[in-house]
Amino acid sequence: MTSSAPPPPTDRTRSAGPSTAAPQTADGRAAGGRAAGTPASGSAAAGSSAGRRPVTIAMCACVLVAQSLVAAMNLAIPKITASGLHPTPSQLLWIVDTYVLVFAGLLIPAGALGDRYGRKGILLTGLGVFGAGALLSALAPGLPVLLAGRAVSGAGAALLVPATMSVLLYATPPDRRASAVAAWSAALGVGGMAGNAGGALILQYLPWQGLFWAYVPLALVLFAWVARSAPRVPRQTATLDLPGSALLALASVALLFGIIEGPGLGWASPRVIGAFALTLALLAGFVRHGLRAAHPVLDPRLFRLPRLRGGSIGITVAFFGMFALFYVNAQFLQYVKGYSPLQTGFANVPMAFGMMAVTKYGMSLARRIGEPGTAGTGLALIAGGLLLLSTADATTPYLLYLAFLLVLSTGAGLAMPTLAHAIVTSVPAHRSGMGSGLQGAARELGAALGIAVVGTVLSVRIGSGAGHGAATAGAFTDAAALGYRIAAGVVLVASVVVMSALRTRTHPTGTDPTAPRRHRSGTRSEVRSAP
C-alpha cells in the first residue's frame, strides 16, 4: 500500500455506529456516544451470539430473495417470449428491468422512511408489498398488468433491503460489524445464483407464471421470521424529500427509456434524443435541489467524500458487469448450447460457492493490502471474466466455460464487501439508513444499466429475432461477445477511478461531513457541506 493510501477500515476505528473515526453528529455529539438507533455496548440486541445469528440469517435471507428475482427472470425469457404475450425485444427488456428500475429509484427514500418510521416496520411492509407484486405478476393476463406487478415487487424490495442493513448493524456489536456487512454483501451476490438455481427448478416444469407464484409463500415465510426474530430499532428524525426522490427516479426512467428504445425508435429519433436530454435536465435539477434543500434525500456534497464516491462507483460497475452476464448467460446456454432451463440454472450454481468462499476473505485482504488493491483486483477480475466469456461459443466445453464464470465470481467476491464497507462507514451513524439506501441504489442502477446496455446490443446486432428462436447460434454468439466486451471496457475504466478515490485520504477524524458549517461571519449554513 502506498503512503498516500488510508489504512483499511477496521472495527477498531469505529464505535457504535457504522462510520469511521467516530464522526460527530450535526449537534456536535460524538456518534460513538450511542447514536440513535445504535444499541449500547452489552445490550440484549448485540450481546448474545446465539441471539444475533437468527437476525443475521433472516436479514441475509431477505436480501437474497429480493435479489434472486432479478436473475430468475432471465431464465424465464424464452418462455415469456414464446407465450401469448408475444413481447418485442424492447418490451422484453422492460419486463426484466422494471423491477430493477423501481428497486433502484426508491431505495434512497426508502432508507429515509426506515429512519423516520422504524426499520422493522418498514422491513415488514416491504415484504408484504413484495409478495403482493409477485401475486399480481402471477395473475397477469397481459403485458401492462405484468409490468405493474413487477413495479410493485420492485417497490417492496426497495423498502426491505435498506432496512435489513440497518437492523443488522443495530443487532451486531461493533467488533463484528465488518463480518456482518461481508455476509450481507455475499447474500446479495449469492442471490443471483440462487435465482438461477431456484428459477431453473420451477421453469423446467411450470410456465413462467409459476416463477412468481413461488415468491408468494417465500414472502410470507420471511414476514413471519422477521416479525419473530428482528429487534425493533429506535426511530430517528428524518425528513422525506419527495421532490428530490421524484427527480432521481424520473432521471433513471428517462435514461433507461433512451437506452432500451433506441434500437426500435432510432438513436436519432426525437423521442430518444429527448429522453437523454431529459435525463441530463433532471439530474441537473436533482443536484440543484440537493444543494438548496435543508434536508435533501441525497446531499450531492457527500460525493466529495472519496471513499463514499469510490464505493458507489465501484458497486455500480460491479453489478453492471454481473447483470450483463446474467441477462446474456441464461439465453446463451439455452439458445447456443441447447441446455434446458434446469441445466442452465444448475450450470451457474458453482459461481455461488466460488463467490461465498472468496467473500469470506475479502475484508481480511483489504486489511492486509488496502481497500484500493482489493477493490481494484476484484473489478479487474470481473472485467477479465467478461472478456473470457466473450470467446465462448457452441463448442466451448462446460468446464472451461465454468472457469470463465469463476473468474468473474471471484472478482465480485473480492470487490463487493470492500466497496459496501467503504460506503456504510463513510456516513454518520445517524444516517445509516441513507448509507445503505445509497449502496442499494448504486447496486440496482448498475444492474438495470447492465441489463439495458447488453440487451440493446443483442437487439441491434441480431435484430428482432433475438430471443425468439429465429437467430442462429452464431449470430447470438457474436452479439453476446460484443456485449461482454463493452461491459468489460466499462468495468476496467471505472476501476481506475475507484482505486484513485479509495487511495485519497478521508475526512479528518471527528468531522461529520453532513453537519452544518459556520461561515466566517459566524452564521450556520442551512445546507450540509462536506470538507
Side-chain angles (χ1 to χ4, degrees):
M1 183 170 65
T2 63
S3 60
S4 62
T10 66
D11 294 302
R12 290 191 295 268
T13 64
R14 288 173 294 156
S15 182
S19 55
T20 57
Q24 293 179 331
T25 59
D27 60 4
R29 179 171 58 87
R34 198 181 188 283
T38 307
S41 176
S43 68
S48 169
S49 176
R52 289 195 311 269
R53 192 171 295 112
V55 178
T56 301
I57 296 173
M59 297 305 103
C60 290
C62 287
V63 296
L64 186 150
V65 168
Q67 199 68 31
S68 71
L69 186 53
V70 183
M73 273 302 300
N74 296 323
L75 282 171
I77 289 174
K79 287 198 172 185
I80 292 176
T81 300
S83 71
L85 297 176
H86 300 300
T88 65
S90 63
Q91 288 172 337
L92 199 59
L93 280 172
W94 282 117
I95 291 171
V96 176
D97 247 354
T98 296
Y99 173 84
V100 187
L101 183 59
V102 175
F103 195 172
L106 297 182
L107 266 170
I108 297 178
L113 281 173
D115 290 341
R116 183 171 183 177
Y117 296 109
R119 279 72 175 267
K120 182 175 182 178
I122 291 296
L123 173 53
L124 292 172
T125 301
L127 287 168
V129 173
F130 178 85
L135 180 61
L136 182 61
S137 298
L139 296 172
L143 186 62
V145 179
L146 176 57
L147 292 175
R150 296 284 287 158
V152 171
S153 287
L159 289 172
L160 71 90
V161 167
T164 59
M165 173 63 84
S166 296
V167 171
L168 184 61
L169 290 175
Y170 178 82
T172 306
D175 63 334
R176 299 297 301 167
R177 285 192 182 132
S179 297
V181 170
W184 189 90
S185 300
L188 286 168
V190 173
M193 304 306 105
N196 276 315
L201 284 170
I202 295 166
L203 293 167
Q204 180 70 21
Y205 304 105
L206 298 175
W208 63 266
Q209 292 92 338
L211 181 65
F212 297 108
W213 281 116
Y215 278 89
V216 176
L218 271 177
L220 292 175
V221 169
L222 288 174
F223 187 96
W225 190 2
V226 169
R228 179 181 178 85
S229 65
R232 287 202 173 272
V233 183
R235 299 182 184 182
Q236 301 175 13
T237 301
T239 302
L240 298 180
D241 179 18
L242 295 180
S245 301
L247 286 168
L248 189 59
L250 290 173
S252 301
V253 172
L255 176 61
L256 267 293
F257 179 89
I259 294 173
I260 292 173
E261 298 295 338
L265 298 176
W267 294 107
S269 70
R271 292 174 65 184
V272 172
I273 293 176
F276 289 129
L278 180 61
T279 301
L280 294 176
L282 289 169
L283 288 176
F286 173 77
V287 172
R288 180 181 176 86
H289 170 80
L291 294 174
R292 292 187 168 196
H295 302 284
V297 65
L298 178 62
D299 193 332
R301 295 175 183 83
L302 282 174
F303 288 98
R304 295 178 183 174
L305 296 175
R307 292 178 66 245
L308 183 141
R309 183 173 65 248
S312 300
I313 296 172
I315 282 185
T316 299
V317 297
F319 274 78
F320 177 94
M322 288 178 62
F323 280 82
L325 164 69
F326 292 156
Y327 186 79
V328 174
N329 186 48
Q331 298 179 73
F332 177 85
L333 291 176
Q334 292 180 75
Y335 294 141
V336 178
K337 301 287 285 183
Y339 287 11
S340 68
L342 188 63
Q343 290 174 312
T344 299
F346 280 90
N348 296 313
V349 167
M351 282 185 69
F353 294 106
M355 190 178 299
M356 286 188 291
V358 175
T359 298
K360 182 179 179 180
Y361 301 102
M363 292 304 299
S364 298
L365 184 63
R367 294 187 186 99
R368 292 178 60 188
I369 69 172
E371 286 181 330
T374 305
T377 300
L379 292 174
L381 287 172
I382 291 174
L386 291 169
L387 289 174
L388 289 171
L389 286 164
S390 72
T391 67
D393 57 25
T395 64
T396 302
Y398 170 71
L399 289 179
L400 181 59
Y401 190 82
L402 176 60
F404 297 164
L405 294 176
L406 289 175
V407 170
L408 188 146
S409 67
T410 298
L414 283 177
M416 287 193 299
T418 303
L419 296 167
H421 195 255
I423 294 176
V424 299
T425 57
S426 294
V427 295
H430 66 287
R431 295 305 304 274
S432 63
M434 186 279 296
S436 56
L438 172 60
Q439 178 190 164
R443 184 178 62 245
E444 299 308 322
L445 180 61
L449 288 172
I451 292 168
V453 169
V454 77
T456 298
V457 171
L458 292 180
S459 179
V460 169
R461 287 299 295 259
I462 56 181
S464 61
H468 289 259
T472 64
F476 190 94
T477 300
D478 291 343
L482 178 60
Y484 282 146
R485 289 166 189 157
I486 291 174
V490 171
V491 175
L492 279 175
V493 171
S495 67
V496 177
V497 178
V498 171
M499 292 180 68
S500 175
L502 294 180
R503 284 195 181 102
T504 306
R505 291 190 179 275
T506 57
H507 58 279
T509 299
T511 301
D512 178 359
T514 63
R517 302 184 68 187
R518 294 185 180 274
H519 298 295
R520 292 181 180 177
S521 62
T523 60
R524 286 165 62 91
S525 172
E526 292 301 319
V527 294
R528 295 188 292 267
S529 178

